[in-house]
Amino acid sequence: MMGNPEFPPVVPTTPPLSPVPGGAPTGTEMNDRNRLTPITFSIAAVERDTGLSKDTLRVWERRYGFPTPGRDDLDERAYTMDQVEKLRLIKRLLDAGHRPGRVVPLPFDELLGLGGAGRDASAQLAEMPAATGDLPSYISLIRAHDGPGLRVALTRALSRNGVAGFISQVVGPLNAMVGDAWLRGQMEIFEEHLYTEMVQVVLRQAIASLPEATPSSAPRVLLTTFPGEPHGLGLLMAEAMFSLEGCACTSLGVQTPLWDTVLAASAHRSDIVALSFTGCMNPNAVVDGLVEIRQKLPERVRVWAGGSAPVLFRRRVDGVQPMPRLEDLPGQVRQWRQTSDLPGPG
């Protein structure tokens, strides 16, 4: 949710790879696309993967000369992996505020420069705190497909840094590195999914180890995402930070219909509804949903919204508190308690 944004939107897994002559690839061969039979994607698959609608893809094809799909045996559009990767990057730039007419015609390298994703891993690591020195080893474990090893390494990092430090100094920077690697085609979706699953396992164990809040602990926080927002890692990070502050948390997971969120807030007597957003939702849908849920909830219930969606901070919604960084959450909780005349935990 708030701050430490999740990696760029990775929506449903792309279609399976075509068979490789001589048997299926194993080990690190799975990371080398040059060894795989070239594959193409239907327009429906590209829409799911990138979040760009079919109509948008067709309009860009006519107006800007990109993408340039071939045709399959049924004379349907067929997009190469290179085109899909460029479309992913374009979607990320559009979410950051760039205009299609400026970015769609640009070559891939120039797009990387615009998005700040062209820096290599060593440049990114040089800007990170000393506590993140183990990041390359985590990336190596992901690429080696060593899920158990990654889980053990992350658990040790949690023990060293504590929950708050683990989230801000390990998971946050790792999210950024995994996202950039995926964006540049250096990491496959199944590898990103492995990473996400291992982090979720470790975070859930961390939350379970914290002192349990009583139902009367305040604030009572309801966590979820809107329909169309399938990413839950940021939500789990926020739940861990709320739990550290002694809040009574109820997570509904992802993609809860708005009216059901309102009903849940009433049933759980929630004080705060915390919503998480990445860049995969249409900005207008985010704003419209926030306006609607603010109108449907009682005035006493606060709405906090955070994550990596730029629209949260560019188009403010009355009655909705944008949360740019997870590190700001403890201070916001303390402020809520002060204005509500309530003591902290313990």
Side-chain angles (χ1 to χ4, degrees):
M1 179 187 148
M2 304 128 193
N4 293 323
E6 291 191 49
F7 18 80
V10 181
V11 218
T13 307
T14 49
L17 300 177
S18 302
V20 180
T26 59
T28 57
E29 291 183 8
M30 289 289 291
N31 302 83
D32 186 356
R33 289 178 181 164
N34 293 328
R35 301 188 186 209
L36 301 174
T37 302
I39 58 174
T40 58
F41 304 90
S42 69
I43 192 169
V46 174
E47 180 182 49
R48 290 193 302 270
D49 185 283
T50 64
L52 297 166
S53 72
K54 298 173 186 176
D55 288 341
T56 296
L57 294 170
R58 295 186 186 105
V59 168
W60 287 359
E61 186 180 335
R62 294 193 303 269
R63 184 174 298 172
Y64 306 118
F66 179 83
T68 54
R71 295 282 172 169
D72 62 17
D73 294 341
L74 300 176
D75 201 32
E76 300 287 344
R77 285 175 172 81
Y79 298 81
T80 65
M81 177 61 78
D82 288 343
Q83 292 180 66
V84 173
E85 287 174 354
K86 182 177 176 180
L87 288 167
R88 290 172 181 166
L89 180 50
I90 289 171
K91 177 62 165 61
R92 178 175 176 177
L93 292 170
L94 294 180
D95 290 338
H98 291 271
R99 296 184 179 277
R102 167 156 168 67
V103 297
V104 176
L106 292 178
F108 189 78
D109 288 345
E110 291 185 33
L111 293 174
L112 284 175
L114 282 178
R119 298 173 301 154
D120 60 23
S122 60
Q124 294 182 52
L125 286 170
E127 299 173 4
M128 292 178 179
T132 62
D134 289 336
L135 293 184
S137 65
Y138 303 136
I139 297 294
S140 296
L141 289 168
I142 296 169
R143 287 179 170 151
H145 315 143
D146 185 359
L150 178 61
R151 185 176 65 250
V152 168
L154 290 171
T155 302
R156 288 173 178 162
L158 173 65
S159 299
R160 287 195 303 268
N161 295 283
V163 176
F166 176 68
I167 289 171
S168 64
Q169 298 179 33
V170 179
V171 179
L174 257 181
N175 284 353
M177 290 189 69
V178 169
D180 283 342
W182 172 82
L183 187 68
R184 294 194 300 267
Q186 297 172 355
M187 187 170 290
E188 303 296 342
I189 289 178
F190 78 89
E191 293 170 323
E192 178 273 317
H193 284 187
L194 173 68
Y195 163 74
T196 300
E197 183 63 24
M198 293 302 100
V199 173
Q200 288 177 334
V201 167
V202 174
L203 280 176
R204 288 193 177 100
Q205 290 173 344
I207 292 170
S209 71
L210 295 173
E212 187 172 355
T214 64
S216 61
S217 298
R220 293 178 292 270
V221 183
L222 184 74
L223 300 102
T224 190
T225 72
F226 281 177
E229 175 54 77
H231 305 290
L233 181 54
L235 201 67
L236 197 60
M237 294 164 70
E239 182 182 353
M241 294 296 286
F242 276 119
S243 298
L244 272 178
E245 296 304 309
C247 304
C249 295
T250 300
S251 178
L252 302 180
V254 298
Q255 303 200 77
T256 305
L258 265 62
W259 182 241
D260 285 278
T261 299
V262 173
L263 292 175
S266 174
H268 292 279
R269 297 179 293 121
S270 302
D271 301 300
I272 298 168
V273 171
L275 301 164
S276 176
F277 298 91
T278 61
C280 71
M281 284 186 66
N282 180 286
N284 291 331
V286 173
V287 172
D288 292 346
L290 289 173
V291 170
E292 181 179 353
I293 200 167
R294 177 64 279 174
Q295 291 173 343
K296 292 184 183 302
L297 286 167
E299 186 177 350
R300 71 163 191 85
V301 178
R302 308 284 181 86
V303 178
W304 291 3
S308 58
V311 70
L312 295 176
F313 313 103
R314 292 180 177 173
R315 295 167 59 184
R316 300 294 180 93
V317 174
D318 289 342
V320 175
Q321 174 67 49
M323 299 289 291
R325 303 187 321 137
L326 271 173
E327 292 87 344
D328 298 333
L329 192 148
Q332 292 293 330
V333 170
R334 287 192 294 271
Q335 184 177 346
W336 182 93
R337 286 180 173 138
Q338 290 168 2
T339 57
S340 303
D341 257 346
L342 292 170

